[in-house]
C-alpha cells in the first residue's frame, strides 16, 4: 500500500470478484491520498452491492473490455464468482486467474459422470466432472484470444486437498508462460505453493517462490 500511495505513476486497481479475499472497500480509501488511481472491477461486486457504481472507473463482465493510452484489459470467465483478466501493457501480456481453477480436482478419482458428490468442505453437492469440463471450456475461451502470457498469476491452494495443482498444470499445458506466479495459498503457507515448481521446471517456466506477504519482484 505504501508504494501505491507514494508512486507518481497511474495505479490500476483490479478486483476479480466480491469475495473478501479478493475485494475490500479499503481500496477506495487510497483515493483520498492519491488522485491518479483507476479502479477496474468485476461487475458482480456491484451486483452484490459491495460498492456503488460511481466508485469504479470500469465494471466488467466476461467478454467486456476496457482500455486507455497505457493498458488494455479483457475480462474472461471464472469457475467461481466474477472474472479473470488479460492485461496488456508496455509490450507485456499478463493473465490473472481470479478464482478460475479446477477447484474440485480431489473428487475426480471417485467421480461418476452425471452424479454428484457431497463436499463437507464446500457444504454442498458438487459434480466434479462437470466442473472440470467448465474449467477446460474457460481455458478454450482464453486460448481464442491468446496462446501465451509473459506473466501468469494462478491459484495453487493446498486447502482444497489432493490435486490442488491440477488446475495450474492444465493451464501451463495449454499456454506459453514467461513467469508463473502462484496465488491463493496464504492459508496453507507459502511453501505449499512451491509444490507447483516441479511442474514449471519440467517446462522451463520461471517460478516465483514467494516467501512472505508483501514481497515484490521487478519484471524486466
Amino acid at each position: 500500500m505504501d508504494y501505491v500511495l507514494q508512486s507518481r505513476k497511474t495505479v490500476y486497481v483490479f478486483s476479480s470478484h466480491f469475495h473478501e479475499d479478493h475485494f475490500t472497500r479499503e481500496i477506495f480509501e487510497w483515493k483520498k491520498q492519491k488522485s491518479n488511481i483507476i479502479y477496474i472491477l468485476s461487475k458482480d461486486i456491484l451486483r452484490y452491492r459491495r460498492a456503488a457504481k460511481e466508485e469504479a472507473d470500469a465494471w466488467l463482465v466476461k467478454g467486456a473490455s476496457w482500455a486507455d493510452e497505457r493498458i488494455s484489459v479483457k475480462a474472461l470467465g471464472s469457475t467461481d464468482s466474477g472474472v479473470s483478466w488479460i492485461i496488456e501493457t508496455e509490450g507485456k501480456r499478463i493473465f490473472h486467474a481470479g478464482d478460475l481453477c479446477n477447484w474440485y480436482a480431489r473428487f475426480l478419482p471417485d467421480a461418476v459422470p452425471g452424479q454428484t458428490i457431497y463436499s463437507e468442505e464446500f457444504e454442498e453437492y458438487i459434480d466434479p466432472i462437470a466442473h472440470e469440463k467448465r474449467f477446460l471450456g474457460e481455458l478454450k475461451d482464453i486460448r481464442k484470444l491468446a496462446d501465451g502470457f509473459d506473466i501468469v498469476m494462478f491459484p495453487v491452494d493446498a486447502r482444497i486437498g489432493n490435486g490442488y495443482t491440477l488446475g495450474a498444470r492444465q493451464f501451463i499445458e495449454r499456454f506459453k508462460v514467461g513467469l508463473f506466479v502462484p496465488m491463493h495459498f496464504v492459508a496453507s503457507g507459502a511453501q505449499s505453493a512451491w509444490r507447483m515448481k516441479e511442474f514449471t521446471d519440467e517446462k522451463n517456466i520461471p517460478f516465483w517462490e514467494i516467501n512472505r506477504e508483501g514481497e515484490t519482484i521487478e519484471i524486466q
Side-chain angles (χ1 to χ4, degrees):
M1 186 186 304
D2 289 341
Y3 175 78
V4 169
L5 299 180
Q6 293 172 10
S7 173
R8 295 180 181 178
K9 295 182 179 180
T10 299
V11 174
Y12 297 85
V13 178
F14 293 81
S15 287
S16 62
H17 59 287
F18 76 97
H19 291 167
E20 62 182 12
D21 58 336
H22 289 259
F23 171 77
T24 172
R25 287 199 53 80
E26 182 183 355
I27 63 175
F28 300 122
E29 296 297 315
W30 301 344
K31 197 82 170 183
K32 296 177 181 179
Q33 301 179 54
K34 180 176 175 61
S35 60
N36 55 333
I37 297 181
I38 293 177
Y39 297 95
I40 303 170
L41 309 183
S42 169
K43 201 168 185 178
D44 72 309
I45 297 170
L46 180 63
R47 186 169 64 250
Y48 283 94
R49 300 181 179 180
R50 300 299 195 268
K53 187 175 182 180
E54 63 273 12
E55 289 183 294
D57 297 276
W59 294 101
L60 302 187
V61 296
K62 180 181 177 180
S65 58
W66 180 91
D68 66 6
E69 68 276 11
R70 300 178 187 86
I71 71 169
S72 63
V73 181
K74 186 78 172 180
L76 281 301
S78 176
T79 44
D80 201 340
S81 294
V83 299
S84 52
W85 307 108
I86 293 178
I87 304 161
E88 295 191 58
T89 181
E90 297 183 352
K92 302 290 185 183
R93 181 184 290 150
I94 303 165
F95 181 76
H96 187 291
D99 261 0
L100 173 67
C101 195
N102 193 342
W103 290 112
Y104 304 141
R106 73 183 178 94
F107 297 101
L108 287 171
D110 300 317
V112 176
Q115 293 186 10
T116 58
I117 296 174
Y118 183 74
S119 167
E120 293 184 0
E121 179 183 6
F122 295 100
E123 297 183 340
E124 61 181 347
Y125 283 93
I126 59 175
D127 185 335
I129 294 176
H131 181 83
E132 180 177 58
K133 184 177 179 180
R134 179 185 169 195
F135 170 68
L136 297 178
E138 296 292 353
L139 297 191
K140 287 183 180 180
D141 288 345
I142 297 166
R143 180 82 185 189
K144 293 173 184 176
L145 298 177
D147 63 359
F149 300 93
D150 296 285
I151 303 169
V152 168
M153 292 173 274
F154 206 93
V156 184
D157 190 340
R159 294 177 302 168
I160 66 176
N162 291 338
Y164 71 94
T165 63
L166 179 60
R169 286 185 279 129
Q170 290 170 320
F171 189 93
I172 67 172
E173 286 169 358
R174 288 162 173 78
F175 297 90
K176 292 176 286 188
V177 178
L179 172 68
F180 186 93
V181 181
M183 63 181 196
H184 225 284
F185 58 81
V186 174
S188 51
Q191 292 189 12
S192 68
W194 301 350
R195 175 77 173 83
M196 186 63 198
K197 189 175 184 299
E198 67 178 89
F199 303 107
T200 55
D201 284 351
E202 288 176 2
K203 294 184 175 294
N204 295 315
I205 298 171
F207 180 89
W208 184 8
E209 294 185 37
I210 300 172
N211 288 278
R212 57 179 174 79
E213 187 174 351
E215 189 171 306
T216 61
I217 188 172
E218 184 174 345
I219 308 298
Q220 300 297 328

